[in-house]
């Protein structure tokens, strides 16, 4: 495994790992983020060429998100019958744990190289009271590339006071090789028979809806354009997909999703121990980013944000995101990169 460290600007660093198959993973201590993932000489994810461009445009792209991913309704939650009020940075709601958050931080890092895989281990302390969250939270995020073309994200948290912990990575995929192309000709499979409807303010309503007979059914692989053309009321709320999907089984042994490039030469397979993935199809309206010389925006990327469904702090059926004191929790998500010349 080859590792290269370079200057990313503004006192941040870019660390690139390459395996013998020509797969490259680049990450940065700005937000413990993925900046680049390459195979077949293609760029597979959204990313900017410098730290300054993230600071000027959007710090969530490719970043570690936390303490909690998604929206907390009205910024309020209860732990052990005590009510907490956290920052409201998305209308009345808390989004992605409040900003600045994990995505804005400069993380300490260590490079770890081995025969079969190499990793960058990032560390961060989120002090008690950050955006109103209780507990001093110690977080580790490990980005790993293996010799077998697997990108693994391992996230660990431990706190000294009960708090919420529901992190994710906010990667955007576009496997076409041209980030300015829409994702509508990509094919998508999901191991999911239910999703969480959302209401107009972007929060979940606590229900689980059956995907059968709806455009949200990806249990058989299909082109994403079929969804975009559906004009289903739930998709019109957000102009695309911005919904949690519940997996039929949980555990790393199950392939939970598969995204295939339009030319079918490259596919990403998703494995995770989380019960839910939030898909977001870059619903930016007429706004766009100038990224690596291309205009990138609406429906030109798809996230796979593995987590517990947003709303879990209110709805027990979505899972438990309370992190008890002195009880470390770890989550793993893997992206298997398959390609043919």
């Amino acid at each position: 495994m080859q590792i290269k460290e370079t200057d990313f600007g503004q006192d941040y660093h870019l660390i690139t790992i390459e395996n013998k198959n020509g797969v490259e993973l680049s990450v940065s201590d700005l937000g413990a983020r993925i900046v680049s993932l390459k195979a077949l000489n293609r760029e597979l994810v959204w990313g900017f060429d410098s730290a300054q461009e993230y600071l000027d445009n959007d710090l969530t792209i490719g970043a570690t998100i936390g303490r909690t991913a998604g929206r907390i309704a009205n910024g309020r939650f209860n732990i052990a019958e005590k009510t907490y009020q956290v920052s409201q940075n998305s209308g009345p709601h808390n989004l992605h744990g409040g900003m600045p958050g994990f995505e804005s931080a400069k993380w300490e890092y260590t490079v770890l190289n081995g025969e079969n895989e190499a990793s960058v281990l990032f560390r961060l302390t989120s002090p008690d009271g950050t955006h109103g969250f209780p507990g001093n939270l110690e977080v580790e995020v490990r980005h790993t590339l293996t010799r077998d073309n697997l990108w693994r994200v391992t996230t660990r948290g431990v706190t000294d006071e009960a708090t919420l912990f529901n992190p994710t990575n906010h990667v955007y995929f576009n496997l076409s090789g041209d980030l300015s192309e829409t994702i509508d000709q990509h094919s998508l499979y999901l191991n999911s028979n239910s999703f969480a409807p959302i209401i107009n303010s972007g929060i979940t309503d606590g229900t689980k809806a059956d995907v059968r007979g709806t455009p949200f059914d990806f249990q058989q692989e299909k082109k994403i354009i079929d969804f975009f053309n559906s004009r289903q009321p739930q998709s019109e709320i957000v102009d695309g997909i911005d919904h949690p999907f519940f997996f039929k089984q949980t555990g790393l042994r199950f392939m939970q999703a598969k995204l295939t490039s339009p030319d079918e030469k490259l596919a990403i397979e998703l494995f995770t121990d989380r019960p839910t993935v939030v898909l977001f199809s870059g619903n930016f309206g007429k706004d766009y980013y100038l990224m690596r010389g291309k205009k990138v925006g609406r429906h030109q990327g798809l996230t796979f944000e593995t987590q517990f469904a947003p709303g879990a702090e209110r709805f027990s059926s979505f899972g438990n995101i309370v992190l008890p004191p002195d009880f470390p929790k770890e989550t793993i998500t893997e992206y298997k990169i398959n390609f043919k010349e």
Side-chain angles (χ1 to χ4, degrees):
M1 308 292 289
Q2 296 183 1
I3 300 178
K4 179 173 62 175
E5 298 182 55
T6 55
D7 178 32
F8 204 44
Q10 302 300 315
D11 200 31
Y12 295 102
H13 304 86
L14 186 71
I15 307 97
T16 300
I17 305 169
E18 182 178 0
N19 68 16
K20 291 183 178 180
N21 303 316
V23 176
E24 290 185 15
L25 170 69
S26 297
V27 297
S28 175
D29 53 348
L30 172 57
R33 77 183 64 246
I34 180 173
V35 173
S36 173
L37 183 64
K38 293 179 180 176
L40 281 183
N41 294 314
R42 297 183 188 184
E43 180 57 73
L44 309 181
V45 302
W46 286 19
F48 294 106
D49 290 330
S50 67
Q52 189 62 57
E53 290 174 275
Y54 285 101
L55 296 167
D56 290 343
N57 291 282
D58 188 339
L59 280 162
T60 66
I61 293 173
T64 297
I65 300 297
R67 299 182 180 192
T68 55
R71 291 173 176 81
I72 297 175
N74 301 309
R76 286 196 297 272
F77 59 89
N78 295 319
I79 298 178
E81 299 183 352
K82 182 177 180 180
T83 300
Y84 294 90
Q85 178 68 60
V86 293
S87 63
Q88 296 161 292
N89 61 313
S90 179
H93 310 308
N94 175 276
L95 176 62
H96 294 333
M99 295 182 183
F102 289 2
E103 80 291 336
S104 306
K106 184 176 184 179
W107 295 60
E108 297 179 358
Y109 73 92
T110 304
V111 177
L112 307 168
N113 201 355
E115 181 179 352
N116 297 318
E117 63 181 42
S119 302
V120 183
L121 176 62
F122 295 102
R123 295 184 178 92
L124 179 73
T125 298
S126 177
D128 177 42
T130 300
H131 297 303
F133 286 92
N136 293 292
L137 178 67
E138 302 289 337
V139 186
E140 293 183 354
V141 175
R142 184 191 298 252
H143 288 275
T144 300
L145 179 66
T146 75
R147 63 186 296 181
D148 299 321
N149 307 331
L150 187 79
W151 166 40
R152 181 186 306 118
V153 184
T154 306
T155 306
R156 182 182 185 271
V158 62
T159 180
D160 60 2
E161 182 180 353
T163 191
L164 298 187
F165 187 57
N166 188 27
T168 195
N169 180 274
H170 210 288
V171 63
Y172 288 83
F173 286 103
N174 184 322
L175 309 184
S176 69
D178 183 349
L179 297 183
S180 67
E181 290 189 9
T182 65
I183 55 170
D184 58 5
Q185 294 303 313
H186 285 61
S187 297
L188 176 65
Y189 160 80
L190 286 177
N191 182 34
S192 172
N193 57 15
S194 62
F195 73 99
I198 58 174
I199 57 181
N200 284 322
S201 59
I203 61 171
T204 54
D205 65 4
T207 63
K208 296 182 180 181
D210 195 326
V211 301
R212 289 177 297 182
T214 78
F216 290 86
D217 190 350
F218 292 95
Q219 294 177 95
Q220 299 294 323
E221 191 172 17
K222 68 180 181 182
K223 297 281 188 182
I224 297 177
I225 193 171
D226 295 344
F227 179 92
F228 289 148
N229 288 339
S230 68
R231 301 188 61 82
Q232 203 259 9
Q234 272 290 306
S235 67
E236 290 190 339
I237 291 176
V238 292
D239 183 34
I241 310 174
D242 192 5
H243 296 79
F245 290 80
F246 301 93
F247 298 130
K248 290 186 282 188
Q249 303 98 1
T250 57
L252 282 169
R253 67 186 184 277
F254 298 105
M255 186 180 73
Q256 305 290 24
K258 181 179 180 182
L259 184 68
T260 303
S261 64
D263 63 5
E264 299 184 351
K265 289 185 177 181
L266 195 146
I268 299 286
E269 296 175 353
L270 171 70
F271 302 82
T272 183
D273 58 11
R274 298 296 84 181
T276 311
V277 64
V278 174
L279 300 186
F280 175 60
S281 55
N283 314 317
F284 297 112
K286 294 181 180 180
D287 294 333
Y288 65 88
Y289 304 107
L290 187 62
M291 186 178 293
R292 297 168 180 151
K294 303 280 189 176
K295 288 185 177 181
V296 178
R298 180 178 182 265
H299 296 173
Q300 290 171 321
L302 184 69
T303 71
F304 287 95
E305 303 168 52
T306 58
Q307 58 189 269
F308 286 89
E313 74 286 346
R314 292 182 293 146
F315 310 120
S316 59
S317 62
F318 284 9
N320 181 11
I321 62 171
V322 175
L323 179 64
D326 305 315
F327 191 83
K329 284 190 178 180
E330 183 176 276
T331 175
I332 298 174
T333 293
E334 297 177 339
Y335 302 91
K336 184 73 171 70
I337 307 153
N338 297 313
F339 55 90
K340 54 187 177 182
E341 300 293 342

